[in-house]
Amino acid sequence: MSFLRRRFGGGDSSTPSTDVSREPTPDPDRPHSLHVITAEKLQRLTNNKNKPKSSKRKNAWIFGLGGLFGLVLAAFFAGNSDLVDLSSLEGMNLESLFDALPVSFVKDAQKLQKHERDAVNYDSFAVGLHARSQGIEASHPVIMIPGVISTGLESWGTDSYSRQYFRKRLWGSWTMMRALVMDKPGWKRHIMLDKNTGMDPPGIKLRAAQGFDAADFFITGYWIWNKILENLATIGYDPTNAFTAAYDWRMSYQNYEKRDQYFTRLKSHIEVGVRVSNKKVVLLSHSMGSQVLYYFLHWVEAEGGGNGGPGWVEAYIDSWINISGCMLGAVKSLPAVLSGEMKDTAQLNAFAVYGLEKFLSRHERAEIFRAMPGISSMLPIGGNAVWGDNTWAPDDRPGQNTSFGNFIRFRDSNSSLTNANLTVSESLPYLFKNSEDWYKDMVLHSYSVGVAHTTAEVEANQLLPNKWVNPLETRLPLAPNLKIYCFYGVGKPTERAYYYREDNDPLTHTNVTIDTAYTSNSATDHGVVMGEGDGTVNLLSSGYMCAKGWKLKRYNPAGVKITTYEMPHEPDRFSPRGGPNTGDHVDILGRSSLNDLILRVAGGRGDLIEEEFHSNIKEYAEKVRIYEDGEVPPG
C-alpha cells in the first residue's frame, strides 16, 4: 500500500504536535507540590504548530474513508467465506481509483492523516527536555520489565514447517497478522505451549525478542515503551545504562527459569548495572510484568533460587516503579480461559461476531488462552475477602441492585451449569469443572490465589514458589531502603462481573458463554458488568496493595516506603491512543505525567513525589476483609 503513503503522505511524519499535558508534574524547585508545565514552555520545547480544527465536512470524509477501507478489510478477513470472492479484486488498480477521486477528497484525507500523525506523536521528547532543563539527568541504571502484550515472540525453529517463520515474530508484528489469517493452524501450532509440560511443543521453538526492539512497538505504528525510551534517552540513558528484560509471557513463572534462565539473567543485569555505575538500579514494570518482578524478588533471595540471601534486594535495588500492575490479577482473565471471551468480543455487533466465530471460535480462543499458562497467573487473587460475596463487595456503589460479589451471574437457573450465581472463590472450581484436567493441574501447581491471615503463614510461604506471585500470601523483601512507586490509571470503565448462559450450540464445544443478549443499564452491556479501573485491570487489583495491603506489617515487615500516584483517565478525543492524559492500561505508557515521574525517580529525585488519589481506593481498601494479626473484624 505504498501508493497510499505517497498519495496521502503530505508532510514530515516526524513533525511533533502541540498536545500539552494538562496534568501537574513534579518541580524540584517546589518540592512539596506538583506544577503544570505551562503551554508556552512546552511549546518552546517542542517548537510545534497548532493543530487544524476539525469540521463537519472533514467528519463526513472520515466516515467515507472508514467505509471504503472497512469494505477492503472485510473482504480480506472473509477470504475463507462464501460471502466475498477475493479473486474479483485481483485486477483492481487502486492507484487509478485514487487518481479518480476529487482533489478536495484527497486534500481532506491528507489533513486527516497529518492530524492523526500529530496525535500519535504528541509530546515526543518534550517531557525529557523539560526534565533536563530542570537539571534532571541519568542517575540510576534502569531495567524495564514489559507486560503481557509488550514482548514480541519470534520463531527460532528450523523444522520444515517453521523455516518460513525463522526469526520472524509470530506475536507482535504484521507477520503474526498474516500468519493468523493465511496459516491459522500453523500459527496456533507455534503459539500454543505443550499442554502437559507447559514448554515448547516438539519441533517448535518460540523465544522472546530481546533488546529495546522487543517492547518499543507492538506492531508498526502501535507504540508500547517507545515514548518512555525517547524521554529516558533525552536525559542521558542509552543501551549502556538502560535495559529491557523481555520474557516469554506464555509460560508459567517457574518455567521462565527452567527453560530460559530468565531470572538468572535478570539478576546478572542488575548486578552488572550496580557494579558499573556504583548506584542501585531502578526497576520499571508494567501490567503482568509487575507480577513477574514480584516473583523475582522472592526467587532472587531464596536458597535454591537466586541464592542472593535476605540482603540482596536491599543491596542492589533502589526503587520499583510499578505501572498499572495487576497485583491481585484481572477479572477478565477468567472468562478468557473459561469461554474464550471478554468485553472486546462480547460487545461486537452480530456481523462481527459471525465473522470472528467463523475465523477463530470461542472454543479455539479458550484453548489458546489455556495453553498459555502465563495468562492464568492473572486469575483474581484474594477470593471473597477482596472481591466480595453474594451480598457485598468493597467496591459496590450506592444504589447498586446486585453486588459485584456476584461475579458469574445467570438469568436462567434451569441447568446444573447455571443454577446459582458464583463468587470469585466459587468461580475457580467452576472453571476447572468446565476445562480439561491438564489445565487444572497446571494452574494449581503454578499459582495460589488465597490469603495468609497471619505472619507465621506469610513466613512459611516464603519457601513455596507457587506462592511467590501472590502478595497476599507472601511479604515484601526485608529492604527498608527500597522504595515502591505505584502509578496507575483510574476512571475508565473496566470489566467487573459477567452474565453467563448455557451454550447449547453443538459446534462451539463450550459449555457456557457470556449472555450477550442482556443489557440492563449503563453499567451492564452485552452481559458484561463494568466497574472501576483502567479499562483492563480493576482498581482493587492495581490499588489495594499500594493503598492498604503493603501497609499491613506482615506483608511489609521492613517498612518499605510505598508512594501511590493515581492518574485519571482524561483522553484527548482527537487522539486514537488517548493523548497525553490517558489513563488507559497500555496507553498510559505514553502519558506525559507518567513519563515525567519516571524520569524523576530514575534521576534520583523520586523522594519529591507526593501521593495523589483520585479514586475511592482508600475507602474500598478499608472494606476489604483482610486485617492485621490479632485485629478483630468489625461487626
Side-chain angles (χ1 to χ4, degrees):
M1 305 290 278
S2 60
F3 72 91
L4 291 179
R5 292 192 293 272
R6 294 196 303 271
R7 190 70 177 173
F8 293 147
D12 180 8
S13 64
S14 64
T15 302
S17 75
T18 61
D19 278 349
V20 181
S21 174
R22 299 187 299 273
E23 183 167 294
T25 53
D27 189 331
D29 298 327
R30 300 288 297 274
H32 299 296
S33 62
L34 302 174
H35 290 267
V36 175
I37 303 174
T38 66
E40 293 78 14
K41 186 167 186 177
L42 193 56
Q43 190 167 23
R44 288 198 302 272
L45 292 171
T46 55
N47 192 25
N48 289 334
K49 298 179 181 178
N50 290 329
K51 287 183 178 180
K53 294 182 179 180
S54 61
S55 66
K56 292 182 179 179
R57 184 165 173 265
K58 176 182 288 185
N59 288 337
W61 288 122
I62 291 173
F63 285 111
L65 279 175
L68 175 63
F69 284 100
L71 289 174
V72 173
L73 289 174
F76 178 67
F77 284 106
N80 293 325
S81 169
D82 295 332
L83 294 175
V84 178
D85 181 7
L86 288 180
S87 63
S88 62
L89 299 177
E90 290 178 359
M92 182 181 291
N93 187 334
L94 293 180
E95 184 77 61
S96 299
L97 173 63
F98 281 93
D99 283 336
L101 292 174
V103 174
S104 60
F105 182 98
V106 174
K107 287 183 177 179
D108 281 336
Q110 289 174 335
K111 291 179 181 179
L112 173 62
Q113 189 196 43
K114 183 180 185 301
H115 181 82
E116 291 181 344
R117 183 171 59 242
D118 288 345
V120 170
N121 290 335
Y122 65 83
D123 283 0
S124 294
F125 303 101
V127 175
L129 290 168
H130 176 72
R132 194 172 72 187
S133 73
Q134 295 186 326
I136 295 176
E137 57 185 20
S139 178
H140 298 277
V142 168
I143 296 179
M144 292 160 276
I145 302 172
V148 65
I149 75 163
S150 304
T151 299
L153 303 177
E154 57 189 25
S155 176
W156 282 81
T158 57
D159 283 1
S160 58
Y161 43 80
S162 293
R163 291 171 195 161
Q164 62 178 317
Y165 299 123
F166 183 71
R167 293 204 61 204
K168 294 180 180 179
R169 293 192 186 180
L170 292 178
W171 180 267
S173 72
W174 289 110
T175 300
M176 171 188 75
M177 301 298 189
R178 288 194 299 270
L180 183 57
V181 172
M182 307 303 294
D183 181 24
K184 185 178 74 172
W187 181 81
K188 286 180 59 180
R189 183 178 185 180
H190 282 80
I191 205 71
M192 293 170 61
L193 294 169
D194 186 277
K195 295 176 180 178
N196 295 314
T197 66
M199 307 282 269
D200 295 314
I204 301 294
K205 192 174 185 181
L206 235 58
R207 294 293 181 268
Q210 298 299 320
F212 295 138
D213 285 347
D216 56 351
F217 288 88
F218 178 65
I219 56 176
T220 303
Y222 189 90
W223 50 261
I224 304 289
W225 286 81
N226 187 61
K227 291 186 179 295
I228 291 176
L229 293 173
E230 288 176 346
N231 289 301
L232 285 172
T234 306
I235 66 168
Y237 283 96
D238 58 45
T240 65
N241 56 1
F243 314 92
T244 55
Y247 54 94
D248 187 343
W249 44 266
R250 299 172 303 156
M251 295 193 297
S252 66
Y253 296 175
Q254 296 174 44
N255 283 342
Y256 288 4
E257 180 66 17
K258 184 176 180 180
R259 194 195 73 179
D260 297 341
Q261 301 79 51
Y262 172 77
F263 295 119
T264 295
R265 298 174 192 275
L266 177 55
K267 179 173 181 276
S268 296
H269 270 307
I270 293 171
E271 291 173 341
V272 169
V274 172
R275 282 199 297 269
V276 170
S277 67
N278 201 30
K279 291 187 177 181
K280 296 189 218 180
V281 303
V282 169
L283 299 173
L284 279 69
S285 63
H286 174 244
S287 188
M288 178 180 167
S290 295
Q291 286 189 315
V292 172
L293 179 52
Y294 186 76
Y295 185 98
F296 169 78
L297 295 179
H298 293 83
W299 175 91
V300 72
E301 293 191 341
E303 185 176 350
N307 296 313
W312 190 92
V313 172
E314 175 72 6
Y316 287 97
I317 300 177
D318 176 82
S319 305
W320 168 20
I321 301 176
N322 170 20
I323 306 169
S324 305
C326 49
M327 301 313 303
L328 299 183
V331 300
K332 70 184 298 181
S333 63
L334 193 137
V337 292
L338 174 62
S339 59
E341 299 172 286
M342 56 195 76
K343 175 179 72 70
D344 310 278
T345 59
Q347 294 181 356
L348 293 174
N349 61 45
F351 180 79
V353 169
Y354 172 81
L356 180 61
E357 289 299 312
K358 289 273 289 183
F359 178 67
L360 200 64
S361 69
R362 292 193 298 274
H363 173 70
E364 286 181 299
R365 301 195 301 268
E367 179 188 25
I368 291 171
F369 289 141
R370 292 174 194 173
M372 296 176 172
I375 298 292
S376 295
S377 71
M378 293 184 286
L379 289 170
I381 291 172
N384 293 1
V386 172
W387 302 99
D389 57 29
N390 293 110
T391 61
W392 160 92
D395 53 338
D396 281 343
R397 297 163 176 166
Q400 193 169 305
N401 293 327
T402 305
S403 171
F404 284 138
N406 290 273
F407 177 49
I408 301 293
R409 310 171 184 182
F410 305 101
R411 292 192 296 157
D412 181 2
S413 59
N414 293 326
S415 164
S416 61
L417 291 171
T418 63
N419 57 3
N421 292 348
L422 303 172
T423 64
V424 162
S425 293
E426 294 165 338
S427 68
L428 288 179
Y430 186 80
L431 167 64
F432 297 146
K433 178 181 177 181
N434 288 279
S435 56
E436 303 85 353
D437 288 341
W438 62 264
Y439 175 74
K440 174 183 177 181
D441 293 342
M442 179 276 298
V443 172
L444 294 179
H445 174 75
S446 301
Y447 310 116
S448 179
V449 297
V451 178
H453 290 282
T454 67
T455 299
E457 288 180 82
V458 168
E459 292 301 325
N461 290 339
Q462 294 296 111
L463 304 175
L464 304 175
N466 71 321
K467 305 283 188 180
W468 290 348
V469 74
N470 185 347
L472 292 176
E473 292 188 301
T474 55
R475 58 166 170 78
L476 290 172
L478 302 176
N481 291 305
L482 172 67
K483 298 174 284 292
I484 297 178
Y485 299 90
C486 297
F487 302 149
Y488 57 88
V490 297
K492 185 173 184 180
T494 305
E495 297 166 60
R496 182 61 175 86
Y498 304 87
Y499 283 90
Y500 263 78
R501 62 174 175 81
E502 190 172 11
D503 190 351
N504 296 313
D505 186 346
L507 300 178
T508 63
H509 305 289
T510 57
N511 295 329
V512 290
T513 183
I514 291 179
D515 188 355
T516 56
Y518 183 63
T519 297
S520 65
N521 50 48
S522 59
T524 303
D525 185 9
H526 289 77
V528 181
V529 182
M530 307 302 287
E532 296 184 56
D534 64 8
T536 297
V537 174
N538 311 90
L539 177 60
L540 284 172
S541 178
S542 57
Y544 172 75
M545 294 307 301
C546 305
K548 176 71 183 292
W550 283 326
K551 306 294 174 68
L552 302 180
K553 189 171 181 59
R554 69 173 175 273
Y555 298 134
N556 186 7
V560 172
K561 183 181 178 182
I562 314 295
T563 301
T564 302
Y565 194 99
E566 293 186 337
M567 303 180 189
H569 182 55
E570 299 171 343
D572 183 340
R573 64 192 181 96
F574 294 114
S575 173
R577 298 292 300 277
N581 291 283
T582 179
D584 176 81
H585 181 68
V586 174
D587 296 343
I588 196 173
L589 293 173
R591 185 185 181 106
S592 297
S593 57
L594 174 67
N595 276 257
D596 189 272
L597 293 168
I598 289 171
L599 298 188
R600 296 184 183 278
V601 176
R605 300 193 187 180
D607 58 326
L608 301 180
I609 300 172
E610 296 183 351
E611 290 198 316
E612 184 158 328
F613 290 92
H614 294 271
S615 74
N616 295 321
I617 186 59
K618 286 186 173 181
E619 175 187 340
Y620 298 158
E622 290 301 323
K623 296 178 181 179
V624 169
R625 292 172 176 172
I626 299 175
Y627 311 100
E628 287 278 16
D629 293 31
E631 184 180 355
V632 178

